Amino acid sequence: MIKKQLISFIKFSVIWCLFNALIGGFNHFNERPKGVHQGAQCDRASIALNYYHNGLNLLYPEVHENRCKDGIVSCEFPLSNYLTAVVYKCLKYDEKYFRILTFLFVSIGMYALLLLLTLYIKTLAAYLLLFILNTSPILLFYASNFIPDASALGLSLAAWYLFFRLYIPHPYLPNVKKLGYVLFFILSITLAMASKTTCFIHWMTMMGVYILSHFKALKIELTNKKLLLSSLLFALILPIAWQLWARHLGKTHNSEFFILHIPLITDKAVYQNAWNVYIGNWPQETFTGPLQYVIGVLLFLPFFIKKYISNALWYITVLNTLGCFVFMAIMINQFMYHDYYILCLLPAVALNWLAIASAATKIKSNFWWVKIGILGLLIIALRVQFNYGRNNLESRYTPGTYWEQSQQKTIDYTLFKNKINGLGISRKNCVLVGYDGAPNNVLYLLDLNGRRINKDFNIDQINEAVNEIRPQYLISNDSLFTLKMQPFFKEFKLVSQEKYLSLYKVSN
């Protein structure tokens, strides 16, 4: 049995690596010279780098914008950040390790999804579905990046496979009863929820099916219900404990830096606009062209083919899909400008495909041409999605394109960092930086502590920043910022310059 599993894993690894090499998934593991892109990614990379510098104290995540006092922040469980810092300690600081670690989490999840799909359908069809999902532009980009949603997705998919193997009866495969499977199930769903609260949807689906299984009329078969209940309840301990701790950090240190509450929209017009912004931007970044409409329709198909799907799988699919829609309806304000929020909802698509695929296996043999047709459509869908995903991924790393979102040209900051470090400027100094559209872009790239100024800051906000931290140095990436800041200081002396980046010794 172990030998068979090992061979299966090796086959997957080879095929998986070849596929990602073809689509360009490995081209961007070492992207520091080109750019880190959105501020949210710098925020997460900042936590990892601060763990590395300040000691591996898991309970106190920090960011670079510490206002020269305390950068401790409230956030969801920093699993990937912390593990990355451990790797930095063992090897060296190089953010490619963060990218590789995230990719490993996603890869584990995809392997688990393949195993789940092959419980019901042929291996070829399972690989086609897997690759269609993998070539989602959003997933391709974030699968080798710093956002925790990608790691949480991998953990969620692993949890779903283990859930099926442990508790959902199979037509001919006996359920596993090994303690290791139970422990890995608890660990994966626990860490998924702790890393990203969105994954609580999957826990609720599992608990919902457990509760519904007690109604005999629904004919939902589960095995070892007591173990399932205890496993799900045990899985809540870490997510709840960390949420309480994070809220404590928010009150005693930096106020809620990463969102830990539900941002409800009460204004109808604002709510409608949020949906308009989301629909106008992100569905086509999840799946391409007509495929997004096909997949949208497929989400409702199980409602019409219930008799061809096992009751347990049908209720799992329906509950998870409805849970995702409800979550989006509540959190649409976050979905509006955060494309990666959709990542942890992708298991709903996978479960939907699983339910439909299991129904397709019941097509009678004399309708073989229908099965051939379905296989042909999957190949066409993969071809279209593959080309779109590869081009989009390259576009996100090409300066000047619509999807490339770097706010700083990273190579310039790397050169400037080396130059000012040579002058003795380090994390021990207190600096004010500007302009920066996000809290940790410039400070993270230069690995300095301090505070940033945004272009939108008014005079009162700038005054507050200057008086609050009393910086030793000011770093400017804009001549207008330099002119704007001079009146706030008595001493304003140029110390070093690299292209458009300037370092000033200041005092007030």
Side-chain angles (χ1 to χ4, degrees), residues 244-429:
L244 294 174
W245 176 249
R247 293 179 189 278
H248 165 73
L249 292 179
K251 292 178 181 177
T252 56
H253 294 272
N254 198 331
S255 59
E256 195 173 293
F257 190 86
F258 298 99
I259 184 168
L260 294 174
H261 68 280
I262 299 176
L264 294 174
I265 302 176
T266 55
D267 187 281
K268 185 178 179 180
V270 174
Y271 185 77
Q272 181 62 52
N273 180 64
W275 273 105
N276 292 339
V277 171
Y278 172 78
I279 293 172
N281 285 283
W282 304 131
Q284 61 268 33
E285 288 303 293
T286 309
F287 296 103
T288 180
L291 195 58
Q292 60 184 286
Y293 300 106
V294 173
I295 291 171
V297 171
L298 290 180
L299 289 173
F300 297 95
L301 184 57
F303 288 94
F304 304 99
I305 57 173
K306 184 178 184 297
K307 65 179 180 179
Y308 300 107
I309 305 170
S310 70
N311 287 343
L313 180 53
W314 189 85
Y315 279 102
I316 287 170
T317 303
V318 169
L319 288 176
N320 201 255
T321 300
L322 291 176
C324 289
F325 278 126
V326 170
F327 181 80
M328 286 191 70
I330 294 173
M331 298 288 290
I332 191 60
N333 190 50
Q334 287 301 104
F335 280 86
M336 185 166 50
Y337 296 119
H338 300 85
D339 56 346
Y340 51 83
Y341 259 64
I342 200 69
L343 290 176
C344 290
L345 304 187
L346 289 180
V349 175
L351 290 169
N352 173 260
W353 291 351
L354 182 66
I356 296 170
S358 70
T361 60
K362 295 180 174 63
I363 297 174
K364 295 180 180 180
S365 58
N366 56 326
F367 288 95
W368 57 268
W369 53 271
V370 176
K371 294 184 178 181
I372 296 296
I374 293 173
L375 189 65
L377 289 174
L378 288 178
I379 293 172
I380 293 171
L382 176 57
R383 175 65 185 274
V384 174
Q385 182 80 343
F386 180 92
N387 290 333
Y388 183 72
R390 180 173 57 184
N391 293 336
N392 186 279
L393 179 63
E394 192 60 37
S395 176
R396 284 177 178 249
Y397 284 100
T398 303
T401 63
Y402 178 74
W403 290 114
E404 196 274 336
Q405 298 175 44
S406 289
Q407 294 171 314
Q408 279 77 29
K409 190 175 180 181
T410 316
I411 185 62
D412 293 341
Y413 284 83
T414 301
L415 294 172
F416 188 58
K417 174 188 173 184
N418 295 335
K419 195 168 186 177
I420 64 176
N421 284 168
L423 298 174
I425 312 302
S426 68
R427 294 169 58 90
K428 296 178 182 179
N429 300 109

Side-chain angles (χ1 to χ4, degrees), residues 53 118 136 146 150 247 282 298:
H53 281 305
T118 52
S136 165
F146 316 126
R247 293 179 189 278
W282 304 131
L298 290 180

Side-chain angles (χ1 to χ4, degrees), residues 174-217:
N175 290 92
V176 294
K177 298 180 180 180
K178 296 179 180 178
L179 178 61
Y181 276 73
V182 177
L183 294 177
F184 278 121
F185 167 68
I186 295 172
L187 184 66
S188 57
I189 192 65
T190 292
L191 294 177
M193 288 191 293
S195 301
K196 198 65 185 178
T197 311
T198 311
C199 294
F200 189 62
I201 295 169
H202 309 305
W203 183 94
M204 291 183 67
T205 301
M206 296 171 184
M207 181 60 80
V209 171
Y210 166 79
I211 293 171
L212 292 177
S213 70
H214 289 83
F215 296 90
K216 293 183 178 180

Side-chain angles (χ1 to χ4, degrees), residues 76-93:
E76 290 165 309
F77 187 69
L79 173 67
S80 54
N81 319 75
Y82 189 81
L83 292 178
T84 298
V86 172
V87 175
Y88 288 166
K89 286 285 188 182
C90 295
L91 301 175
K92 64 175 183 177
Y93 165 63

Side-chain angles (χ1 to χ4, degrees), residues 108-129:
I108 290 169
M110 289 299 177
Y111 178 59
L113 178 58
L114 177 70
L115 295 177
L116 177 57
L117 290 169
T118 52
L119 290 175
Y120 294 88
I121 60 177
K122 298 294 183 180
T123 303
L124 176 58
Y127 266 110
L128 289 173
L129 290 173

